[in-house]
Amino acid sequence: MNILGIETSCDETSIGIVDGDGRVLANVIATQIDLHARYGGIVPEVASRQHVLDIRPVCEQAIEDAGLDWGDIDAVAATHGPGLAGSLIVGLNFSKGLSAALGVPFIGVNHMDGHVYGAWARTEDHDLEPFQELVGEQPIMCLVVSGGHTELVLLEGHGKFRLLGETRDDAAGEAFDKVARVLGLRYPGGPEIQRVAEGAPETDPFPRAWMRGTDEFSFSGLKTAVLTRARELGIYPPNGVDGGADPDVVAGLAKAFQDSVVDVLVTKTTAAAKRENCAGIVLVGGVAANGPLRQTLTDKSPLPVAIPPFKLCTDNGAMIAMSGLVNFRNGRRDDWDLDVIPSLRIGTSALV
Ligand code: KG4
Ligand code: ZN
């Protein structure tokens, strides 16, 4: 059995194929990062147009990489939300057309379920089978941290998720992207902040928003704290051709910001995992690429921590195929009138 998964919720056109055992046969990703970098964030209209251009060649490449024929595909899965509506529509309609042409079932996948199940897709250097066996006996805590979401999800059994808490305002990745802009760094901000924060001088810490008594998060106050201090230090708004900011000041602010985000994510995730008597913790989403976050979570967690390879952490088609496989096995089939999940996500192009 082979499931083809299509992801177009944001700025990646990606198509992956997994076999019946969840092995990744192909995972082609066409990223639009360079296209949006000049605007400092994602421009939804530009994103949807680029998906239209990329989706067919990406699909053909995926079939070729997997060494399959069209007739070897048993179901087509696609993200139907949450995400940018115009981008979702491209992948969703393409997948419906493909499933009709191939005469196979079509399955709509929730993007966040996809992120969680992406961790169970198998590659040469990644196999969560030992975790998989535990599902059902003991839950697994999943921290999903991306540009659009920050969620603590309890995986109680296969296909059985419970959302414990999410961000009340900005997602962690969104905060990275917006703070990077304040500091005069390029988009996407996460990798840039991590890069400049390395070896940064000690700086006064920023506050932590603990949201005590809940599993929720908030990052907009932290973002405003960085903005306020950048103003006080005279590096925002930027002046001069190069922004004119002292690199040590920028590095110090970047590190203090990153420390605050990592501290809150790690402390709250490990506490929730302990409370829910979890067997382990899974970290997914684009922000899972963050070195200090990976290291701190692994060091501080009393439970085993699993973090998939980078290509399965950021938006990708294999994770949608994997979620499609789990749903397919559970008997799920969707009608072609399945629509895009309404989404409030405005993307990282929103003003600081
Ligand atoms: O999951 P993803 O690829 O797309 C969404 O669904 O949003 O996540 C993208 C986000 C961006 O906000 C980006 O800045 C962040 O992941 N990111 C990072 C790092 N690499 C990517 N954040 C912190 N540190 C990184 N190294
Ligand atoms: Zn995502």
Side-chain angles (χ1 to χ4, degrees), residues 62-284:
I63 291 283
E64 193 182 322
D65 285 2
L68 299 175
D69 289 321
W70 294 105
D72 298 325
I73 300 298
D74 296 283
V76 178
T79 308
H80 70 119
L84 301 169
S87 293
L88 288 164
I89 285 168
V90 178
L92 194 59
N93 283 336
F94 185 88
S95 67
K96 289 175 186 173
L98 188 61
S99 78
L102 298 177
V104 299
F106 151 71
I107 298 164
V109 170
N110 178 299
H111 183 75
M112 306 318 291
D113 294 3
H115 268 302
V116 170
Y117 264 108
W120 271 270
R122 294 156 120 184
T123 60
E124 258 169 35
D125 53 357
H126 175 74
D127 189 344
L128 274 198
E129 203 56 24
F131 262 50
Q132 178 131 354
E133 281 167 19
L134 292 167
V135 178
E137 287 170 33
Q138 250 181 302
I140 289 179
M141 186 62 64
C142 306
L143 174 63
V144 188
V145 266
S146 72
H149 300 270
T150 305
E151 295 183 350
L152 268 178
V153 180
L154 194 66
L155 184 61
E156 295 177 304
H158 279 304
K160 213 171 143 210
F161 300 102
R162 184 148 59 91
L163 178 65
L164 298 180
E166 59 190 327
T167 182
R168 287 199 186 164
D169 38 59
D170 289 351
E174 191 179 356
F176 268 97
D177 294 332
K178 288 177 175 172
V179 163
R181 204 143 53 142
V182 169
L183 299 180
L185 303 170
R186 269 175 63 85
Y187 173 85
E192 284 292 286
I193 288 191
Q194 180 180 334
R195 182 180 61 79
V196 302
E198 251 170 66
E202 266 321 304
T203 311
D204 285 345
F206 283 115
R208 275 84 168 129
W210 291 114
M211 315 297 284
R212 287 189 205 283
T214 74
D215 289 321
E216 302 201 333
F217 299 92
S218 167
F219 295 107
S220 86
L222 173 61
K223 182 189 67 187
T224 306
V226 179
L227 182 65
T228 307
R229 205 182 294 169
R231 279 208 173 104
E232 286 165 3
L233 293 167
I235 64 165
Y236 188 85
N239 47 55
V241 178
D242 60 356
D246 177 345
D248 274 351
V249 173
V250 170
L253 291 181
K255 178 163 186 309
F257 162 77
Q258 182 175 257
D259 286 350
S260 174
V261 174
V262 169
D263 191 12
V264 168
L265 290 176
V266 170
T267 306
K268 296 202 70 153
T269 304
T270 48
K274 208 170 141 205
R275 187 193 67 220
E276 299 290 338
N277 189 28
C278 289
I281 296 173
V282 170
L283 173 66
V284 286

Side-chain angles (χ1 to χ4, degrees), residues 8 13 32 46-57 86-87 90-91 94:
T8 62
T13 315
Q32 304 176 6
V46 173
S48 31
R49 284 168 171 232
Q50 195 60 36
H51 285 306
V52 171
L53 297 175
D54 287 340
I55 197 156
R56 186 177 162 176
S87 293
V90 178
F94 185 88

Side-chain angles (χ1 to χ4, degrees), residues 9 111-112 115 146 314-315 319 345:
S9 67
H111 183 75
M112 306 318 291
H115 268 302
S146 72
T314 53
D315 289 354
M319 73 185 198
R345 178 169 164 177

